[in-house]
Amino acid sequence: VQLVESGGGSVQAGESLGLSCAASGFMFDEHAVAWFRQAPGKEREGVACFDAPTGVTYFADAVKGRFAISTISSDHTKKTLLLQMTGVQPEDTAVYYCAAANGHYACREPPKVYQYVYWSQGTQVTVSS
């Protein structure tokens, strides 16, 4: 299983930014995937979840209405998970990770770290005011 993340960088408040997570080595359509972030000195928090088998998505209150998830398929074993962030704010500054669970989850609450077993390397997002 591989989750290779790209994107990120430094932007100004109010701008948009996209993150990509290339997933391979597992049946993407049978798993829940999620985006997490970790700000300096804070615990890793789940910001969005996509349960591929049901198509259900969940966004934490802090990002609801500003972040969106989509997927691009290469074939049934290779997919790219996208996180589109709009209207970013300084509080969105963090290292962002994509993660895949070992099955599917209902995605009706913030994703929890312990639910996800495969992780990307992380990418830094910095938002300046």
Side-chain angles (χ1 to χ4, degrees), residues 37-111:
R37 67 185 182 186
Q38 188 165 18
K42 294 188 176 182
E43 293 187 355
R44 192 169 298 187
E45 64 170 348
V47 296
C49 173
F50 171 65
D51 183 41
T54 61
V56 173
T57 57
Y58 173 91
F59 295 92
D61 289 344
V63 306
K64 194 176 298 181
R66 301 188 297 118
F67 288 15
I69 286 179
S70 60
T71 60
I72 300 174
S73 299
S74 299
D75 57 49
H76 67 283
T77 62
K78 294 182 181 179
K79 283 201 175 183
T80 299
L81 179 69
L82 305 175
L83 181 69
Q84 185 63 35
M85 302 182 288
T86 59
V88 295
Q89 300 299 316
E91 52 266 35
D92 294 320
T93 295
V95 177
Y96 282 72
Y97 301 87
C98 63
N102 212 9
H104 88 100
Y105 283 104
C107 282
R108 298 193 186 283
E109 61 181 9

Side-chain angles (χ1 to χ4, degrees), residues 9-35:
S10 297
V11 293
Q12 297 288 318
E15 294 183 343
S16 299
L17 190 65
L19 303 181
S20 299
C21 177
S24 61
F26 66 106
M27 299 299 290
F28 186 97
D29 290 341
E30 298 178 2
H31 295 256
V33 289
W35 288 95

Side-chain angles (χ1 to χ4, degrees), residues 36 101-102 105 109-117 119:
F36 289 79
N102 212 9
Y105 283 104
E109 61 181 9
K112 306 294 192 298
V113 171
Y114 71 85
Q115 296 172 323
Y116 293 81
V117 295
W119 292 84

